C-alpha cells in the first residue's frame, strides 16, 4: 500500500515516523510527500531515545522496497534520517528529492543503504541550495548525503543537482562500501559553487 501525504507543512518530532516496510515477496509501498512550504525532522523520542523521527522505506525479505519521493520548498533534517534500506534479497527503493532549500544539521542524513545481497536504490537530490553542517555528538553521525553497501549487494548511485553545495563542520557527500558489494558513483552538478 502506498503512502501519499499532501500538506502545507509537515513536522516529525520526538520519535514520530513515516515508514513503509515489506517482509515478503510483495513489493513495498512507495512514500510520496508533497509539502508546499516545509518539512522538518527533529528530536529523538523522549521515552525511547533510540527511536528517531525518520521517514523510511525498507525491505526485510525478497520483495523490493518502495521508492521515497519528497517535494517541498524547504527540507530541514536535524539529527534524523530520510532513507531507503535493503536488509536481505529485496532491492532498496530510490530516494528522489525536489526542494529549493535543503539543510542537514547535526547528523541529519538522507541515504540509501544495502545491507544484504540485493542492490541499494539510487539517491537523486534536486535543490537550489544544499547545506550539510555538523555531526551528532551522541552517536557521531555526520550530516550526509550517502549511498552505501554493508553487504554483498551493490550500493546505489548518488546524483546531486544544485546551485550551491556547502559542507561544513564534518558534513559529507559519499558513496561507500564496507564489504564485497560495489560502491555506487557520485555525480555533483553545482551551477554556482561547492
Amino acid at each position: 500500500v502506498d503512502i501519499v501525504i499532501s500538506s502545507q507543512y509537515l513536522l516529525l518530532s520526538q520519535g514520530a515516523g513515516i515508514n513503509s516496510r515489506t517482509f515478503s515477496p510483495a513489493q513495498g509501498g512507495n512514500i510520496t510527500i508533497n509539502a508546499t512550504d516545509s518539512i522538518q525532522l527533529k528530536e529523538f523520542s523522549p521515552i525511547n531515545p533510540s527511536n528517531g523521527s525518520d521517514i523510511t522505506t525498507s525491505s526485510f525479505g525478497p520483495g523490493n522496497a518502495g521508492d521515497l519521493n519528497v517535494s517541498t520548498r524547504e527540507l530541514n533534517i536535524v539529527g534524523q534520517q530520510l532513507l531507503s534500506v535493503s536488509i536481505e534479497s529485496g532491492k532498496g527503493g530510490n530516494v528522489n528529492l525536489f526542494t529549493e532549500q535543503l539543510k542537514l544539521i547535526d547528523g541529519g542524513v538522507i541515504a540509501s543503504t544495502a545491507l544484504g545481497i540485493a542492490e541499494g536504490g539510487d539517491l537523486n537530490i534536486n535543490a537550489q541550495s544544499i547545506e550539510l553542517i555538523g555531526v551528532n555528538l551522541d552517536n557521531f553521525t555526520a550530516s550526509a548525503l550517502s549511498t552505501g553497501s554493508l553487504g554483498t549487494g551493490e550500493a546505489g548511485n548518488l546524483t546531486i543537482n544544485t546551485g550551491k553545495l556547502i559542507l561544513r563542520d564534518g558534513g559529507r557527500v559519499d558513496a561507500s562500501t564496507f564489504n564485497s558489494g560495489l560502491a555506487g558513483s557520485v555525480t555533483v552538478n553545482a551551477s554556482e559553487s561547492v
Side-chain angles (χ1 to χ4, degrees), residues 132-192:
L132 312 179
I133 303 170
V135 175
N136 185 325
L137 297 179
D138 292 328
N139 57 25
F140 303 104
T141 299
S143 298
L145 298 171
S146 176
T147 64
S149 173
L150 282 76
T152 57
E154 294 182 10
N157 297 318
L158 169 56
T159 303
I160 299 172
N161 298 304
T162 187
K164 296 180 181 180
L165 173 60
I166 298 170
L167 288 76
R168 192 168 73 235
D169 300 334
R172 286 198 342 249
V173 171
D174 67 61
S176 58
T177 179
F178 297 91
N179 205 317
S180 59
L182 298 177
S185 64
V186 176
T187 302
V188 178
N189 301 304
S191 59
E192 296 180 33

Side-chain angles (χ1 to χ4, degrees), residues 10-13 38-42 53 74-78:
L10 176 62
L11 169 64
L12 298 182
S13 66
S38 66
I39 298 172
Q40 187 171 12
L41 282 59
K42 63 178 185 177
S53 301
E74 182 176 337
L75 174 58
N76 296 315
I77 302 178
V78 182

Side-chain angles (χ1 to χ4, degrees), residues 8-179:
Q8 184 175 1
Y9 305 98
L10 176 62
L11 169 64
L12 298 182
S13 66
Q14 298 187 348
I18 301 171
N19 304 291
S20 171
R21 301 184 178 109
T22 177
F23 295 85
S24 72
Q27 168 81 29
N30 299 322
I31 297 178
T32 301
I33 301 174
N34 297 296
T36 55
D37 199 320
S38 66
I39 298 172
Q40 187 171 12
L41 282 59
K42 63 178 185 177
E43 299 174 354
F44 287 85
S45 167
I47 298 172
N48 184 353
S50 65
N51 287 345
S53 301
D54 302 329
I55 301 174
T56 63
T57 65
S58 52
S59 170
F60 293 85
N64 296 334
D67 291 338
L68 178 49
N69 305 299
V70 177
S71 177
T72 187
R73 185 181 63 82
E74 182 176 337
L75 174 58
N76 296 315
I77 302 178
V78 182
Q80 309 302 316
Q81 297 184 340
L82 188 153
L83 62 91
S84 177
V85 61
S86 168
I87 308 295
E88 293 290 343
S89 57
K91 293 182 179 180
N94 297 320
V95 179
N96 304 301
L97 171 63
F98 299 88
T99 186
E100 293 181 17
Q101 185 179 76
L102 172 61
K103 289 185 178 181
L104 305 182
I105 302 169
D106 294 341
V109 172
I110 300 177
S112 171
T113 304
L115 301 178
I117 62 175
E119 297 174 3
D122 293 332
L123 179 54
N124 304 300
I125 306 295
N126 301 277
Q128 292 181 15
S129 69
I130 301 172
E131 296 181 63
L132 312 179
I133 303 170
V135 175
N136 185 325
L137 297 179
D138 292 328
N139 57 25
F140 303 104
T141 299
S143 298
L145 298 171
S146 176
T147 64
S149 173
L150 282 76
T152 57
E154 294 182 10
N157 297 318
L158 169 56
T159 303
I160 299 172
N161 298 304
T162 187
K164 296 180 181 180
L165 173 60
I166 298 170
L167 288 76
R168 192 168 73 235
D169 300 334
R172 286 198 342 249
V173 171
D174 67 61
S176 58
T177 179
F178 297 91
N179 205 317

